[in-house]
Amino acid sequence: MKRVRKAVFPVAGLGTRFLPATKAVPKEMLTVVDRPVIQYVVDEAREAGIEHFIFVTGRNKAVIEDHFDIQFELYDTLAQRGKDEQLARLQRLQPAPGQTSFTRQQVPMGLGHAVWCARELVGDEPFALLLPDMIMQSEKSCMKEMVDLYAETGNNIIAVQECDPAEAHKYGIVGRGEPTHHGFRITEMVEKPKTGTAPSNLYINGRYILQPEIFKILEGQEKGAGNEIQLTDAMLKLEKQQAFYGYHYQGRTFDCGSPEGFVEANVAFALWRSDMNHSMAGVIRTLLDEMKPSERRGAAF
């Protein structure tokens, strides 16, 4: 069984929900506290033992490539000014030479098409797929736990977590079968099921480990919802040939593709940090009191 060495990051999206901020800056480069969103996702993959980071980009995304490259002038300036801690931090985040690859998705044809664009770089290996809009906050890395489950099963892995059953029609939902190891067998996958028909309240949260056979399916995959090539449609076909297992993720997931999720992530990660927790908690209390003084004054936090 080949281990998971490569990860694909589809970063070609336009980020229209963040205009005008994303007119010139890729949405993946918007910062949560002091790191770009894409950095959180890459760090999660690195923690899981990923060695090769594959970015499927589009036009006006060159700054992502620059971010993961060495900035000689910046490094030299920091060294000359004695900013050793900042320099060391940047160097720790720096991928090694040859660890990053970039390929273009010239036309926006959906997630399935973006994954297919990475086929030559992935080759005949299992690979991780991390949606860069979704960032995780937990003591244990979501992808690390998925890689561990893959080592036990050798099959396709999808991370899921619970949603309000009334909201299940908004997501891709899986059916839960018998438990195995620290996951469970997936019995079905339904994309945005009609209200009241969902097989569970476990939604797919943007983390996958897939076998390379998915590329052959995507190559001939017809367009689906939104007139795009949908990854879920291809996974349903692959499910007839190979098993899929679910990893029930227990941490927090923030949808940074929406303004609300992005703001929530900034607040949550600021409160998560020991150097910011106290001051930010005070700021939030003050803002809440100022916005709704009659309701918030005297409330316990």
Side-chain angles (χ1 to χ4, degrees):
M1 182 177 63
K2 296 179 180 178
R3 69 184 186 89
V4 182
R5 301 187 311 113
K6 300 179 179 182
V8 174
F9 306 89
V11 294
L14 297 176
T16 53
R17 287 187 288 179
F18 278 94
L19 288 171
T22 51
K23 182 181 179 182
V25 177
K27 63 177 181 177
E28 297 83 7
M29 292 301 295
L30 298 178
T31 55
V32 171
V33 186
D34 58 359
R35 284 193 290 171
V37 169
I38 188 61
Q39 185 70 62
Y40 286 90
V41 185
V42 169
D43 289 347
E44 180 186 340
R46 181 186 284 112
E47 185 179 343
I50 298 297
E51 301 170 355
H52 189 176
F53 309 98
I54 300 168
F55 299 86
V56 182
T57 71
R59 287 178 289 277
N60 300 320
K61 299 282 186 168
V63 68
I64 296 177
E65 187 169 353
D66 291 339
H67 175 72
F68 290 103
D69 200 357
I70 293 175
Q71 301 290 332
F72 289 102
E73 296 83 357
L74 174 61
Y75 287 14
D76 183 62
T77 299
L78 291 175
Q80 290 186 28
R81 295 180 178 177
K83 304 287 187 179
D84 297 335
E85 184 177 343
Q86 290 176 302
L87 178 57
R89 184 185 180 196
L90 289 177
Q91 291 173 332
R92 285 194 300 270
L93 297 176
Q94 180 72 50
Q99 280 194 319
T100 56
S101 296
F102 297 81
T103 188
R104 283 290 186 100
Q105 182 188 20
Q106 287 91 343
V107 289
M109 292 177 59
L111 176 59
H113 182 258
V115 172
W116 180 76
C117 289
R119 66 197 182 282
E120 298 294 339
L121 293 169
V122 172
D124 188 26
E125 298 185 36
F127 65 99
L129 171 64
L130 299 91
L131 303 193
D133 286 348
M134 314 299 284
I135 63 175
M136 312 299 204
Q137 186 184 69
S138 58
E139 293 294 341
K140 295 182 179 180
S141 160
C142 179
M143 183 52 65
K144 175 63 168 63
E145 294 290 295
M146 293 175 67
V147 167
D148 290 344
L149 179 57
Y150 169 79
E152 296 169 350
T153 65
N155 290 106
N156 303 278
I157 311 293
I158 299 176
V160 298
Q161 59 191 108
E162 296 175 0
C163 68
D164 184 338
E167 302 290 312
H169 64 281
K170 298 180 180 180
Y171 305 101
I173 302 293
V174 305
R176 182 167 192 156
E178 72 276 7
T180 175
H181 305 286
H182 65 289
F184 61 90
R185 183 72 177 263
I186 291 177
T187 58
E188 58 182 311
M189 290 179 278
V190 185
E191 186 66 31
K192 297 182 179 179
K194 293 182 179 179
T195 302
T197 66
S200 74
N201 69 329
L202 297 175
Y203 77 95
I204 300 171
N205 69 4
R207 298 291 186 269
Y208 313 77
I209 293 176
L210 299 172
Q211 295 293 331
E213 287 78 10
I214 194 75
F215 293 121
K216 187 64 176 178
I217 296 174
L218 287 168
E219 185 174 349
Q221 181 66 49
E222 297 179 354
K223 293 181 180 179
N227 200 34
E228 296 180 335
I229 297 175
Q230 298 293 337
L231 179 64
T232 302
D233 294 340
M235 290 195 300
L236 287 170
K237 292 181 180 179
L238 184 60
E239 185 186 24
K240 297 176 182 178
Q241 308 167 20
Q242 300 176 357
F244 275 74
Y245 289 86
Y247 165 64
H248 191 173
Y249 175 64
Q250 301 294 329
R252 293 177 178 270
T253 299
F254 303 98
D255 180 4
C256 290
S258 71
E260 297 84 358
F262 177 74
V263 172
E264 182 184 2
N266 269 279
V267 173
F269 276 93
L271 293 175
W272 185 266
R273 287 176 46 160
S274 59
D275 61 330
M276 300 180 68
N277 177 282
H278 181 74
S279 61
M280 287 305 304
V283 168
I284 292 170
R285 292 188 185 100
T286 300
L287 289 173
L288 288 171
D289 282 339
E290 290 177 351
M291 289 177 63
K292 297 182 179 181
S294 60
E295 297 177 19
R296 306 306 305 185
R297 194 167 287 127
F301 284 83

